[in-house]
Amino acid sequence: MTSGLRRHGYVTKSVHTGTEALRACRHVDLVLLSFGLSDLDGLEVCRSIRRTGDTGIIAVTAPCTEMDRVLGLRAGLDDYVIRPFGLSELIARMEAVVRRVQPPTPPVRTVRCGSLRIDAGTREVRVDGQLVDLTLKEFQLLQLLASNRDLVVPRKQIMAEIWHEDRVRSSRTLDTHINTLRNKLGASSWITTVRGVGYQLRQE
């Protein structure tokens, strides 16, 4: 599971005891909690995490009763994922929980990345001070990559946010826009392809 999440651009850390989980949860955005812990009761771990803040918590469990789920939700769980499950379902539930528990960040009006400058207010892009003529979709794509500069943006997320598609129906559409955008920026190195995952704006 953790290797699959890493392939989709997530930074993960695995621990095996409740004590380790309580220490690690102070520095994460989301906890995937198994109740099969060797030292502490899973519900108590959940209550302890919830007392310290609003970190998202999803229980990853075997099939359980309705009462088990009710007790977990009352202890502070945000959601359940019942084994067996697919990675796509897990990621969708993770994204939903993070949206609920994290306040939206105000949009950044101007983004600078080395010689690249992106102005959301005027919808202007400049490289070395020279104006780059982009279509609306090209600008939205570049702005999305720039606003997630420290992350690899998955192809599925790009299609959902730019083309409002739940899945990548046409890889050619995205690939064509990426290639055109690279050409207009003057170098293919501006946008890095992470094979099997997505794209990332070059770090400076």
Side-chain angles (χ1 to χ4, degrees):
M1 181 173 67
T2 55
S3 61
L5 291 174
R6 291 191 187 106
R7 287 197 303 271
H8 281 75
Y10 290 91
V11 178
T12 66
K13 179 178 181 179
S14 299
V15 298
H16 303 288
T17 68
T19 302
E20 290 176 308
L22 292 176
R23 285 198 298 264
C25 74
R26 301 170 188 167
H27 311 291
V28 301
D29 297 318
L30 182 72
V31 174
L32 299 178
L33 178 63
S34 171
F35 286 167
L37 302 172
S38 60
D39 58 341
L40 298 175
D41 177 73
L43 288 179
E44 186 53 42
V45 172
C46 181
R47 292 188 190 97
S48 297
I49 295 173
R50 183 56 64 235
R51 283 194 293 267
T52 63
D54 295 326
T55 303
I57 311 172
I58 299 177
V60 181
T61 74
C64 54
T65 66
E66 178 182 1
M67 181 54 64
D68 289 331
R69 295 192 295 274
V70 169
L71 290 173
L73 293 170
R74 287 178 175 171
L77 287 175
D78 293 288
D79 200 359
Y80 270 88
V81 180
I82 307 298
R83 295 190 178 97
F85 55 84
L87 185 61
S88 295
E89 178 189 357
L90 175 61
I91 290 175
R93 291 184 180 276
M94 290 168 59
E95 291 172 346
V97 169
V98 169
R99 283 196 301 270
R100 290 200 300 268
V101 302
Q102 290 187 346
T105 56
V108 177
R109 303 296 291 176
T110 303
V111 176
R112 295 179 183 273
C113 182
S115 60
L116 176 64
R117 181 179 181 274
I118 305 168
D119 190 321
T122 60
R123 205 166 66 79
E124 286 186 350
V125 174
R126 295 180 182 273
V127 177
D128 291 322
Q130 299 298 310
L131 187 63
V132 180
D133 185 22
L134 300 181
T135 67
L136 176 60
K137 291 296 185 187
E138 290 164 356
F139 179 83
Q140 291 173 338
L141 175 55
L142 181 60
Q143 187 179 31
L144 176 61
L145 295 175
S147 62
N148 293 274
R149 203 168 28 172
D150 295 330
L151 302 171
V152 177
V153 184
R155 296 175 65 92
K156 182 177 179 180
Q157 179 183 345
I158 295 172
M159 293 300 294
E161 294 195 25
I162 305 302
W163 282 275
H164 307 293
E165 297 281 356
D166 292 333
R167 57 191 179 90
V168 181
R169 295 183 180 179
S170 174
S171 295
R172 188 177 300 277
T173 298
L174 177 54
D175 294 340
T176 299
H177 278 77
I178 289 290
N179 289 333
T180 302
L181 192 52
R182 284 169 170 160
N183 290 333
K184 289 186 176 182
L185 293 176
S188 61
S189 59
W190 273 114
I191 301 174
T192 302
T193 301
V194 181
R195 190 172 299 277
V197 182
Y199 298 96
Q200 184 177 27
L201 193 66
R202 186 179 74 189
Q203 299 296 298
E204 289 292 334

